[in-house]
């Protein structure tokens, strides 16, 4: 399992321009068969700082995503409004800390406490 | 809903020291009633670069986490092995892109394609 954090920095005057592009990118990417999760967040201190948190089965699945029509069409349109280059971080889960939501619901934690 | 990315940079010779501290921090934090998710990842390019991805209902829940016995005890033990200060990013989901796993399973995406 591959976790990706991808950060974009958009010039303030172009935030309104990129929002519909981001929304389409999220919608289309989530329809990819290999996409396990794809979320987009905004920095509470900087409305032009966008962060994707993505989960893919492996690097090949990420490469397939980057080759899709929607990625190839939308990302260059977004990137032309960057204030600085994007940052990408590819990560593995720390062994021994794998997340299993079914085992760690808050309600269950309360019941066990 | 509050999303947090917290990055730690640990000196290479101390990675083995911090691993059990990290694992205890993850285990104890997931037992907090307000913890929605708490995951820990390692940079594929740097084994001393650790990244938490956390989900909390709100800032008050994060503050409660930071005041717990396990946080107050373990984080200073980890931080003394840092090669540089940690980085923290507090984020909101981009409106219109809320993630609903039940609506976006890969199997469903395939069926809809």
């Amino acid at each position: 399992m591959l976790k990706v954090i991808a950060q974009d920095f958009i010039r303030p005057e172009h935030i309104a321009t990129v929002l519909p592009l981001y929304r389409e990118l999220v919608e289309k990417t989530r329809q990819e068969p290999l996409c396990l999760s794809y979320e987009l967040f905004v920095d509470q201190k900087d409305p032009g700082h966008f962060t994707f948190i993505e989960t893919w089965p492996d690097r090949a699945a990420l490469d397939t995503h980057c080759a899709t029509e929607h990625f190839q069409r939308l990302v260059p349109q977004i990137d032309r409004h960057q204030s600085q280059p994007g940052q990408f971080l590819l990560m593995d889960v720390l062994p021994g800390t794998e997340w299993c939501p079914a085992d760690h619901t808050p309600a269950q934690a309360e019941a066990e406490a």
Side-chain angles (χ1 to χ4, degrees), chain A:
Chain A
M1 197 273 288
L2 170 66
K3 203 80 176 183
V4 178
I5 293 176
Q7 300 186 64
D8 280 355
F9 303 88
I10 303 296
R11 291 196 297 272
E13 65 271 25
H14 292 292
I15 293 172
T17 305
V18 300
L19 288 181
L21 303 172
Y22 275 136
R23 291 195 177 102
E24 181 179 357
L25 182 60
V26 169
E27 181 188 354
K28 295 262 170 58
T29 298
R30 287 176 177 168
Q31 294 173 6
E32 294 178 38
L34 296 177
C35 177
L36 298 178
S37 76
Y38 196 76
E39 296 177 279
L40 180 53
F41 300 93
V42 185
D43 188 341
Q44 290 187 343
K45 291 185 176 174
D46 177 0
H49 179 193
F50 296 89
T51 299
F52 290 91
I53 299 178
E54 316 175 13
T55 315
W56 301 95
D58 52 30
R59 178 61 190 259
L62 176 62
D63 292 343
T64 297
H65 163 61
C66 294
T68 57
E69 183 276 337
H70 49 272
F71 186 98
Q72 292 283 327
R73 173 172 48 86
L74 294 166
V75 171
Q77 292 184 59
I78 293 166
D79 284 356
R80 75 174 61 134
H81 302 297
Q82 286 180 331
S83 59
Q84 58 177 280
Q87 297 176 5
F88 304 90
L89 182 56
L90 274 61
M91 308 177 295
D92 299 308
V93 68
L94 179 69
T97 69
E98 290 80 1
W99 173 250
C100 181
D103 290 345
H104 294 280
T105 63
Q108 187 175 57
E110 283 184 297
E112 290 170 353

